[in-house]
Amino acid sequence: MTAFKTAKFKIQGGKPLDGEVKISGAKNAALPILLSTILTSDTVVLKNVPDLADVKTSFKLLQDLGKHCTYDAQSGEAVISGAVTSFVASYELVKTMRASIMALGPLVAFCGQAEVSLPGGCAIGARPVDLHIKGLQAMGAQIKLDDGYIKATAIGSGRLQGGHIVMDKVSVTGTENLMMAACLGNGTTIIDNAALEPEIVDLAHCLNKMGAKIKGEGTPRLEIEGVEKLHGCEHSVVADRIEAGTYLIAGIATHGVVTCLNTLPSSLESVLQKLRQANALITVDGTSITADMRNRQIKPVDVVTAPHPGFPTDMQAQMTVLNTLSDGVSSVTETIFENRFMHIAELIRMGAHIEIRGNTVICEGVPQLKGAQVMSSDLRASASLVIAGLAAEGTTIVDRIYHMDRGYEHIETKVGSLGGIIERIY
């Protein structure tokens, strides 16, 4: 029997990245927007949808539920039509993508009931679904946990009811799930302590185009007036701020000059501030952001992750790599997920001087990282190891890159267009 071979990246480092890269649509906006199409039988046309493993999983999930999906990866256009004919999101699909939990709210809102498997996804610590469950209960849903499934029923009229939800902690997927559910509820729902991320704002904009009545997106208080039904629309997914930040850091780490096109600079302010502190020359021109690190020394930067508009947890691993190459000592503190330092041991294999102290890492900069064989543990850890490999002396092999395929569109092509030497091998 032949062993299954997973893909790896072979990276030849030490070459400055130079050039322009077009930023794709945001994974973290595309996934909830795709699942929001459960709320209508009409046709929804989505543009700027990135060609990612998680997006393909979302299409499979929608098709499993009875929707019809077509997707042109070249143009990034997806067309979703038809009504859901099933209210069960199976374990086989949900286990590969945590975002599948966001089918729960739309399904119970549209069908009056939902069965969604408890989710899988990246191994970056506990991300409990209790916030989703409590919010749906506040809207009158009856919830049972049975055989690894969350089973929700809109009791009474078969429709969810307006309610006042105060989120115990800020949750992006929790906010998105409950916002979608409330769109077809009877009456008005208030969500307090809502997350503020640009991807939530984008979802709200798409839902409003579908006929929803959402106010307050981008603020801690959302007000959703339920409507009888939603209709089709056309919407373009917002640019991926994490992909943009990743390429900017790759340019800085390799002492090159990288321009990210098709970005939303206002969504990246906390990251750009830290990159300027790291001594990068950052310029913004409309929807373009340039990082120029030619003939400049990387300075150490202290970082504490926080919900938006703070420094994003999804940029923590990439920023840690930059600090390992800085001229001095810095700290990176992770406040969102408790298990997001699994890339540290791999960076140490490449010669980084890093010490973990609780939820903080102390980085003592080194002049040069060295190529090595490393293994990624999650999506953003993969990105950090690719950046490290591009900056390092010699050859780096990054194993288990299927994580990266979940969140970075055509990365070899984009890195190659900037002059980086990266190859997918098996």
Side-chain angles (χ1 to χ4, degrees):
M1 187 171 147
T2 307
F4 176 67
K5 292 184 178 180
T6 59
K8 305 173 185 179
F9 278 145
K10 180 180 179 182
I11 301 167
Q12 193 66 38
K15 190 177 178 188
L17 297 188
D18 184 13
E20 297 179 341
V21 59
K22 185 182 177 188
I23 299 305
S24 303
K27 172 183 94 87
N28 289 341
L31 301 184
I33 287 172
L34 284 168
L35 295 179
S36 78
T37 64
I38 291 168
L39 292 165
T40 181
S41 306
D42 291 354
T43 299
V44 176
V45 178
L46 300 174
K47 299 180 184 292
N48 205 32
V49 177
D51 183 16
L52 302 171
D54 275 7
V55 166
K56 289 168 185 169
T57 300
S58 297
F59 289 136
K60 286 179 189 170
L61 175 56
L62 289 170
Q63 288 165 336
D64 219 32
L65 295 170
K67 303 284 283 187
H68 180 68
C69 306
T70 61
Y71 177 58
D72 183 343
Q74 196 74 29
S75 68
E77 181 172 295
V79 180
I80 300 99
S81 58
V84 294
T85 55
S86 168
F87 54 82
V88 180
S90 71
Y91 170 73
E92 283 307 310
L93 286 173
V94 176
K95 72 178 180 181
T96 63
M97 186 180 77
R98 289 199 61 92
S100 304
I101 187 66
M102 287 187 290
L104 182 65
L107 278 174
V108 72
F110 188 83
C111 302
Q113 56 187 324
E115 294 184 13
V116 177
S117 172
L118 289 164
C122 283
I124 55 173
R127 293 191 271 185
V129 297
D130 59 321
L131 294 170
H132 306 246
I133 291 170
K134 286 179 183 175
L136 289 173
Q137 286 172 330
M139 285 188 267
Q142 192 175 63
I143 308 282
K144 286 196 302 183
L145 296 180
D146 193 15
D147 298 328
Y149 280 77
I150 305 167
K151 298 183 177 180
T153 307
I155 53 177
S157 66
R159 290 187 68 186
L160 295 171
Q161 306 300 311
H164 186 188
I165 301 164
V166 181
M167 305 283 280
D168 291 338
K169 62 181 284 190
V170 175
S171 165
V172 174
T173 57
T175 299
E176 291 168 336
N177 214 349
L178 299 175
M179 180 169 69
M180 288 189 279
C183 287
L184 293 181
N186 281 325
T188 299
T189 299
I190 304 290
I191 304 175
D192 274 323
N193 200 28
L196 315 178
E197 270 68 5
E199 295 79 16
I200 290 173
V201 174
D202 200 38
L203 172 62
H205 289 170
C206 182
L207 289 167
N208 283 340
K209 288 179 185 176
M210 293 163 68
K213 295 182 177 179
I214 302 168
K215 295 178 184 174
E217 62 272 21
T219 77
R221 168 169 277 217
L222 289 170
E223 184 177 318
I224 305 109
E225 183 185 334
V227 297
E228 191 70 31
K229 62 180 292 189
L230 296 181
H231 52 70
C233 77
E234 185 174 299
H235 181 76
S236 185
V237 176
V238 73
D240 195 324
R241 62 196 170 103
I242 305 302
E243 185 193 25
T246 299
Y247 281 109
L248 291 172
I249 286 181
I252 296 166
T254 59
H255 292 275
V257 52
V258 168
T259 298
C260 293
L261 308 175
N262 190 40
T263 71
L264 182 63
S266 62
S267 69
L268 266 171
E269 286 177 0
S270 61
V271 174
L272 298 182
Q273 180 184 8
K274 292 298 180 182
L275 298 185
R276 288 186 176 106
Q277 288 177 23
N279 199 32
L281 180 61
I282 303 291
T283 53
V284 175
D285 181 11
T287 58
S288 300
I289 307 171
T290 300
D292 187 343
M293 204 62 190
R294 293 169 295 185
N295 305 313
R296 299 168 80 89
Q297 174 64 53
I298 301 169
K299 292 183 178 178
V301 179
D302 294 334
V303 172
V304 179
T305 64
H308 192 79
F311 191 90
T313 179
D314 281 353
M315 288 299 303
Q316 176 259 108
Q318 300 91 309
M319 198 69 198
T320 301
V321 174
L322 202 57
N323 275 331
T324 67
L325 294 165
S326 70
D327 182 22
V329 177
S330 58
S331 66
V332 178
T333 301
E334 175 58 64
T335 68
I336 310 296
F337 296 122
E338 74 278 11
N339 196 22
R340 211 167 197 179
F341 285 148
M342 289 191 281
H343 53 287
I344 299 300
E346 305 304 298
L347 292 175
I348 290 171
R349 287 171 56 81
M350 298 180 71
H353 291 175
I354 311 175
E355 181 187 346
I356 301 177
R357 299 179 190 170
N359 68 332
T360 297
V361 293
I362 306 299
C363 305
E364 184 181 344
V366 296
Q368 182 82 65
L369 294 173
K370 307 287 185 184
Q373 283 198 290
V374 292
M375 185 168 64
S376 62
S377 54
D378 61 72
L379 172 56
R380 306 308 173 182
S382 303
S384 73
L385 296 176
V386 167
I387 292 170
L390 290 167
E393 179 185 19
T395 303
T396 297
I397 305 293
V398 183
D399 203 350
R400 293 172 64 179
I401 60 168
Y402 56 84
H403 289 295
M404 196 143 206
D405 291 335
R406 290 183 44 239
Y408 288 90
E409 183 178 43
H410 308 155
I411 185 162
E412 308 102 296
T413 304
K414 291 187 178 185
V415 169
S417 74
L418 296 170
I421 303 172
I422 182 170
E423 177 189 2
R424 187 176 293 248
I425 62 172
Y426 294 88

